[in-house]
Amino acid sequence: MGGRAVDRTVTGLLQWGCRQMWGFAPRMIPHIVERKGAGGALRWFAANMPRYLTTMQVLGPARTHLAAMVVSLHNGCIYCAYGNAYALELIHLREHDRLFPLDSRALHGWLGLEPRELADRLRGVLHEAGMHAEMLWVDRTLEILRGQQPVDAAEARLAHVVTMVSEMNSIATTAGVEPDEAQNPVNKDGALKSRHAALRAGV
C-alpha cells in the first residue's frame, strides 16, 4: 500500500474513532496525519488520547475543557478554543440548566490576549457562571504555559493537557482549520444542542 493510501486509511480510522466518541469527524484529523505521517499520527493518538480521556474522568469534563480552552486562547487557536468552549457550554447547560456566560461563537476577540487580561476576562465569566473555584485552574493553566512545573498528580494531568492541546493548536493554526463541533460526547445530544441554539437565539 502506497504512502498516500496509508495516510487515507489512517485518517479514516482516526475519523471513525472520533465519530464514535463525539458524533463527528474533526476537520483537523487529515492535518494531523499530514504533519506527523500515518505512523506518527497513530502513535500520537495512542500516547495522548487515553490519558486525556482519563483526565476528563479525574478532573471532570468542565474543568478539562476549560483548561483546553485557556491553552487554545493563549496560543491563538480558534479551532481548538471553539471546540472546547462549545463543549463547555453544552455541559454547563446540561448540568445547570442555564447558558454559560461565554458564547463560543464570540471567541475571535479573545485570541492571543496577554495572560493577565485573559485571566481577568475569564474571572468575570466564571464568577457569573458560579464557577468560582475554577479560577484557580485557569491561573495554574496559565502558569504551566509559562513554564511552571506541576506540584501534584492533578496538576501533572493539567500539564499533559497543556502539552497535548498546544501541539493541536500548532497544527490547526498552521493549517488554518475552521471550527466545527464540540469535542466531547455531549456533542451527540441533538436535543441539548437544539435547546442551546434556541437559547442563544433568544427563542
Side-chain angles (χ1 to χ4, degrees):
M1 187 181 293
R4 290 184 179 178
V6 172
D7 286 354
R8 287 195 298 270
T9 298
V10 169
T11 297
L13 176 64
L14 295 175
Q15 288 175 328
W16 178 86
C18 290
R19 194 177 291 111
Q20 299 306 302
M21 283 193 301
W22 301 335
F24 77 106
R27 288 179 181 148
M28 74 171 293
I29 294 293
H31 301 287
I32 296 174
V33 175
E34 182 180 0
R35 169 79 70 90
K36 294 182 170 295
L42 286 173
R43 287 190 295 272
W44 187 85
F45 271 87
N48 286 283
M49 283 304 292
R51 187 173 183 185
Y52 177 75
L53 294 174
T54 301
T55 294
M56 196 80 67
Q57 297 296 319
V58 173
L59 299 185
R63 183 169 292 168
T64 304
H65 285 299
L66 176 63
M69 182 186 75
V70 170
V71 174
S72 301
L73 290 172
H74 177 274
N75 291 337
C77 177
I78 189 60
Y79 177 83
C80 296
Y82 177 88
N84 285 284
Y86 185 28
L88 181 56
E89 284 192 81
L90 294 175
I91 291 165
H92 189 79
L93 177 59
R94 182 184 66 191
E95 295 183 355
H96 301 285
D97 198 34
R98 62 179 184 271
L99 287 173
F100 189 67
L102 178 60
D103 187 338
S104 55
R105 299 169 301 179
L107 288 176
H108 281 89
W110 292 61
L111 296 177
L113 293 173
E114 291 296 321
R116 180 174 296 178
E117 184 176 357
L118 178 58
D120 286 345
R121 288 196 189 187
L122 286 170
R123 185 171 288 107
V125 169
L126 294 173
H127 176 77
E128 187 177 346
M131 299 169 64
H132 310 286
E134 299 307 317
M135 195 58 219
L136 171 65
W137 292 87
V138 170
D139 289 338
R140 286 303 292 147
T141 300
L142 290 169
E143 288 164 357
I144 290 170
L145 276 162
R146 291 199 298 270
Q148 290 195 17
Q149 296 301 307
V151 299
D152 57 24
E155 287 196 2
R157 291 194 172 278
L158 182 62
H160 172 255
V161 171
V162 169
T163 300
M164 175 184 169
V165 173
S166 291
E167 187 164 7
M168 293 173 65
N169 295 161
S170 174
I171 295 170
T173 53
T174 298
V177 186
E178 291 296 320
D180 40 32
E181 301 188 42
Q183 297 169 8
N184 184 279
V186 74
N187 188 69
K188 295 190 286 187
D189 189 337
L192 181 66
K193 291 170 72 175
S194 294
R195 181 161 182 258
H196 173 267
L199 288 170
R200 282 291 183 212
V203 177

